Amino acid sequence: MKRRATVHSIGPVAGINNDWRRWIAENLVLGSHPDTLAAILHENGVPPDLARAEIDAALASPYLHGVLRLHSRLAKRDWVLGIEARLQRMAPPDMTTVVPRRARLDGDTFLREHYLTNRPVIITGMLDDCPARHWTLDGLAERFGARTVEVQGGRSADPDYEMNSIAHKAVMPFGDYVAQVRAAGHTNDFYMTANNDGRNRAALAELWDEMPVLPDYLTEERKGFFWLGPAGTVTPFHHDLTNNFMMQLMGRKRVRLIAPCHTPQLYNTRHCFTPVDGRAIDLQRFPALAGMPIAECELAPGEILFLPVGWWHFVEALDISLTVSATHFRWDNDFYSSYPSNHDF
């Protein structure tokens, strides 16, 4: 299918620079007609003869032919993903929009029915005897209030706060942070997340001995990532590079999930993120999401959500919330080593 050529703020020029050459190549690969591109170049100050010469040179280039061959192979992969996506749209809602709950799911069944099939599930009853289930804000503040921790701050002023997480790091006493959480009401302006793990693993070291062990699913390592924030914190739609457990210890979270087969329709232009807002999907801006099956669940304290690798997910805290996430499964979970390195184009 031919697509309308787009100009990405390259600006008017009297000649042709490499930005314009990249633009010509990109739009030829996407199927734009050479006459359309020549007209746009002319509108931006490029003489017609020079515009046509540059387009002809691109069309004759063996580099472009190589890219077109690669583009065809990628289009085939999108076609294969599209088969699964179409079948998902045909399926009844209970197959695609409901995350099942399984009580005390044993490890072998979890492996066969969810880990190996890349299907999410909520596991209940496995955190009942975990020391972390007895954590309270008061208790944590009493134990660690004087420790210096790192949090994400100033998120409300930056629509790309998650992609720019390094710029939002701030440090404060843990007791001050807990007081801030209590007083905040509903906000997404600050949040302690896995992006703060480097400092907080040491600052809250004793907590790792109280983390859920879960030998049916996880190795003996005591690992995890600490998430603590007020109601209203949002982790925007993205996918992880590993399988992940979300272990909910305090408060509730709303989670929306989209299967990996829909990735070509998710406007994924940078790394593992999409600009689609999970709170209210704008179908005028993102029409490819119309009719897309989106699973939704509410994760309660004591429940574990299995987030399979590649699944897009949006997370919103409904209450003051404390979550521990973990990736140290008993089975192969190294999918990040093969993740494309040039993911910001």
Side-chain angles (χ1 to χ4, degrees):
M1 179 175 66
K2 295 186 183 300
R3 305 184 188 183
R4 186 176 182 274
T6 56
V7 181
H8 299 291
S9 302
I10 301 174
V13 293
I16 293 285
N17 57 29
N18 284 337
D19 285 336
W20 276 111
R21 292 188 178 101
R22 281 189 284 268
W23 175 85
I24 291 169
E26 179 181 0
N27 282 287
L28 286 173
V29 168
L30 292 175
S32 295
H33 195 280
D35 291 346
T36 302
L37 303 185
I40 294 173
L41 288 168
H42 180 54
E43 290 171 4
N44 282 271
V46 180
D49 289 347
L50 178 57
R52 177 55 65 178
E54 286 286 346
I55 293 171
D56 288 346
L59 288 168
S61 169
Y63 295 115
L64 183 67
H65 294 170
V67 170
L68 286 169
R69 290 174 63 183
L70 177 60
H71 178 71
S72 295
R73 293 204 294 270
L74 293 175
K76 175 66 173 291
R77 294 182 191 180
D78 283 352
W79 175 80
V80 173
L81 288 173
I83 293 173
E84 184 176 350
R86 284 178 63 184
L87 293 173
Q88 274 217 345
R89 291 172 187 261
M90 293 165 54
D94 64 320
M95 290 181 61
T96 58
T97 61
V98 176
V99 181
R101 276 180 164 80
R102 306 286 298 275
R104 294 191 169 272
L105 187 63
D106 68 88
D108 289 341
T109 303
F110 168 72
L111 174 64
R112 291 194 312 271
E113 298 184 6
H114 296 281
Y115 200 89
L116 297 180
T117 60
N118 196 240
R119 303 299 300 174
V121 64
I122 295 172
I123 303 171
T124 63
M126 297 298 286
L127 300 179
D128 294 349
D129 301 323
C130 170
R133 281 287 285 120
H134 302 292
W135 290 345
T136 65
L137 287 183
D138 287 341
L140 292 174
E142 183 177 347
R143 295 170 65 187
F144 305 106
R147 308 273 181 93
T148 299
V149 295
E150 182 179 280
V151 301
Q152 302 287 316
R155 289 156 50 107
S156 297
D158 181 2
D160 295 323
Y161 58 84
E162 192 69 21
M163 287 187 285
N164 301 329
S165 61
I166 293 176
H168 292 280
K169 291 185 176 183
V171 295
M172 64 175 64
F174 183 70
D176 290 354
Y177 180 68
V178 170
Q180 189 174 337
V181 169
R182 284 190 180 284
H186 190 280
T187 183
N188 187 37
D189 194 48
F190 57 89
Y191 195 12
M192 180 184 289
T193 78
N195 289 321
N196 306 116
D197 180 64
R199 173 183 288 270
N200 294 345
R201 181 169 294 275
L204 305 174
E206 294 89 335
L207 292 183
W208 307 114
D209 290 334
E210 301 171 18
M211 293 288 191
V213 180
L214 304 177
D216 280 359
Y217 319 113
L218 304 176
T219 66
E220 294 180 356
E221 301 172 81
R222 291 247 184 196
K223 289 184 178 180
F225 300 96
F226 198 76
W227 305 71
L228 174 62
T233 54
V234 167
T235 302
F237 262 125
H238 70 288
H239 68 78
D240 292 334
L241 311 186
T242 60
N243 291 292
N244 201 335
F245 261 175
M246 275 181 62
M247 297 177 276
Q248 193 64 16
L249 300 174
M250 185 187 304
R252 299 166 300 143
K253 280 185 169 172
R254 172 195 180 205
V255 185
R256 307 190 80 187
L257 303 104
I258 298 176
C261 62
H262 297 289
T263 296
Q265 288 78 48
L266 273 163
Y267 304 87
N268 173 213
T269 57
R270 182 177 172 190
H271 195 7
C272 56
F273 299 100
T274 171
V276 175
D277 187 345
R279 288 167 291 195
I281 295 175
D282 184 349
L283 294 180
Q284 289 190 329
R285 184 181 175 193
F286 305 112
L289 273 70
M292 180 171 293
I294 301 177
E296 185 166 332
C297 63
E298 184 177 296
L299 196 63
E303 294 184 330
I304 303 169
L305 173 62
F306 172 57
L307 288 170
V309 60
W311 275 71
W312 296 84
H313 51 284
F314 160 90
V315 184
E316 180 179 19
L318 302 177
D319 313 300
I320 291 176
S321 174
L322 194 159
T323 309
V324 171
S325 58
T327 61
H328 51 291
F329 288 95
R330 291 169 48 199
W331 312 282
D332 180 17
N333 198 23
D334 180 12
F335 298 95
Y336 53 85
S337 293
S338 57
Y339 187 69
S341 57
N342 295 326
H343 45 59
D344 287 338
F345 291 102

